[in-house]
Structures are given as C-alpha cells and as structure tokens.
Amino acid sequence: MMDASDLKARLEEAAGALRGAIGDERPEVGLILGSGLGSFAECVEEPRIVSFHDVAHMPLSTATSHKGRFVAGRVGGKRIIVMQGRVHGYEGYSAQEVAFPVWLMERLGVRTLIVTNAAGAINASYAPGEFCIMRDHINFTGRNPVAGLGNDTLASRFFSMKDAYDPELRALARASARKLGISVQEGVYLGLLGPSFETPAEIEAFARWGADSVAMSVVEEVIAARYVGMRVLGMSLISNMACGVEAANPSEDEVFEVACRAEADFMRLMSDVVAALP
C-alpha cells in the first residue's frame, strides 16, 4: 500500500515520462482495451506508441493478448490515449496498482474513460458475439483502490457511485449501435478477482443478485475513475455463456475465438462512439 506522498510522486514521475513520449497534445479520452479487443489500437491516427516498460512505476501486463502499451493519437477527431491491454488483480497486483494507469491518464488530462472487456453472460437472453453496455456493477473482488488512502489524497475519500456508468454516454453508445446495426445489450456487470472461472453455484447466486455478466476486470478501474471525477462508459464483448448457463464450461480459447469474430464490429462501434463523444 502506497502512502499519499509516494502515490502522488509516482504518478507525477510516470506522467512526465508519458508526456515526454506522446508529445504536447493532452488526451481527452482514455480507452482500456480488454482481452481480444486490442486491435482497436489500429484505428488510432498518427499513433505514438509507448510500452508500459518505458513508463516509470507502470505495472506490466502478463495476460494473454495484452500487449502492454499506450497508443496515443486521434480517433474521430478526438485526442485519445489507448491502453492496449490492462493489468489485473489475478496477476498479483494490488487494487492501487490496477488503478494506477487510470489515475495516470487523469493526470494527462483525460476526463472521459471507456473501459472494455470480454465477459461471460449470466443472463440467458444474451448471446456470444453481442456487446453489453454496463449500466451498473457489483464489485465482488473484495478490494477497493481507494481503501487505505488518506482523505483528499487525490480527491475526497468518500464519493458517490450512483450513475458510475454515465447515462448520457450509455445513450450515445446505444445510438451508435442502432446506427451501425450492431446488437447490444445493457445490464449489470459483476467483477471478480479471478483467475479461476466461476462455479455454477456462484453464477446462480450472481443471477439472483441481478448480475447479467461477469468477468475479472473493470470494477477497480471504474471506482478509481469515479474517485477523481472522470466520466465512464463501460462495454463488454459477451464472449461466452457463464459456467452452468446452458451447460456452458468457459475456456480462454473460447474467449479469443469469439473476440476474433467480433473484431470488425467492435472497431466500427468503438470508433463511432469515440467520434460522437461530447
């Protein structure tokens, strides 16, 4: 656990390194690409690419398909910085380390954060290959990145999570999907620590709680973003049915197979969403 002065110093050093690498333009949008979705970085115009290795104090991604680099440039006229891969708690990182890149992007000027991932469907009406806009979340990681920070370390210790997933941004994403003819759902996402997939009994319990989808990322990033006042849009690729739903037994290979099929639609949808951001 970092104390307040150590966290601020690390963020300033990391921000200085990243600013030096991407130039003077301050990104206004941050985008975190989840498993199998990293190819969206190819949509960034005049990209400036910075490895996580080259940013002081930046945790390094060890997850499959997560390239572990920032890509800065423009999409649809918006200044954007893309994380091509993320870090997860199941890799051994603390909640603050998972949150660190979010706070780093905020230091660079990002005020709108888009988080994406691949998720399993708890809601039986969902289908692999669809996208799901996050309406709300259930944090079942057992962790919170703000816990242990002093009051006003980066912002006020106590903050609201009502409408954590911005209603205006969700409406914008729905409109983009309608325009493009891409199927989207909207529901409650449940985040776990992982790395084991869920048991059928857990999925049954989560369904009773009102969860529609489940995966091993996002919630700590969103808490971190709301702590510092960022607007958030969350979107999952439904890559599989959760364990026990329709006799499903998910695997990592299934996740990437579905992501490959959905790649073109994801790139079209996300490009339109970013271009339409206020």
Side-chain angles (χ1 to χ4, degrees):
M1 178 72 66
M2 288 176 277
D3 64 26
S5 59
D6 191 30
L7 176 59
K8 289 178 178 178
R10 291 186 182 202
L11 283 168
E12 283 306 313
E13 190 175 350
L18 197 45
R19 284 190 198 103
I22 68 173
D24 294 331
E25 276 203 350
R26 290 170 66 87
E28 53 194 320
V29 179
L31 172 58
I32 303 176
L33 295 172
S35 296
L37 303 175
S39 58
F40 177 80
E42 297 169 11
C43 297
V44 178
E45 299 165 8
E46 299 180 11
R48 285 147 293 180
I49 298 170
V50 186
S51 170
F52 290 176
H53 286 273
D54 297 326
V55 178
H57 311 296
M58 180 69 194
L60 305 179
S61 179
T62 66
T64 305
S65 88
H66 290 245
K67 290 188 176 181
R69 59 188 194 175
F70 292 100
V71 182
R74 290 185 177 248
V75 171
K78 299 293 192 308
R79 299 187 304 277
I80 191 169
I81 185 163
V82 174
M83 281 180 64
Q84 201 172 18
R86 59 157 50 88
V87 295
H88 307 78
Y90 67 71
E91 296 173 78
Y93 291 114
S94 70
Q96 282 186 8
E97 288 171 319
V98 172
F100 188 87
V102 173
W103 293 331
L104 173 57
M105 288 190 284
E106 192 268 342
R107 275 284 200 279
L108 296 178
V110 169
R111 300 307 302 155
T112 299
L113 180 69
I114 304 174
V115 290
T116 69
N117 70 352
I122 297 174
N123 189 323
S125 70
Y126 291 6
E130 289 184 319
F131 299 97
C132 183
I133 299 164
M134 297 174 193
R135 183 178 73 248
D136 205 343
H137 78 223
I138 299 169
N139 177 12
F140 203 56
T141 66
R143 312 182 332 163
N144 187 309
V146 182
L149 295 181
N151 194 30
D152 298 327
T153 296
L154 302 179
S156 176
R157 173 184 281 165
F158 299 106
F159 53 99
S160 175
M161 290 294 288
K162 185 178 186 295
D163 290 332
Y165 299 86
D166 191 281
E168 181 183 355
L169 301 185
R170 286 162 31 211
L172 181 155
R174 292 194 302 269
S176 287
R178 282 195 302 272
K179 180 174 72 173
L180 297 171
I182 294 173
S183 178
V184 294
Q185 303 281 356
E186 187 168 6
V188 175
Y189 166 74
L190 186 143
L192 291 165
L193 186 61
S196 55
F197 287 107
E198 307 75 36
T199 69
E202 288 169 337
I203 293 301
E204 184 179 357
F206 299 158
R208 291 175 180 173
W209 292 356
D212 296 293
S213 62
V214 62
M216 307 168 191
S217 60
V218 167
V219 290
E220 292 169 318
E221 296 162 343
V222 173
I223 292 168
R226 294 303 301 141
Y227 170 53
V228 293
M230 299 167 82
R231 302 179 74 186
V232 178
L233 172 67
M235 188 177 297
S236 298
L237 166 66
I238 300 301
S239 56
N240 56 277
M241 304 308 290
C243 190
V245 180
E246 301 176 357
N249 185 19
S251 68
E252 188 178 34
D253 288 343
E254 181 182 10
V255 170
F256 291 115
E257 180 184 336
V258 173
C260 186
R261 295 201 305 266
E263 179 180 69
D265 278 349
F266 179 75
M267 293 171 77
R268 289 195 303 134
L269 178 57
M270 198 52 56
S271 294
D272 197 79
V273 167
V274 172
L277 287 172

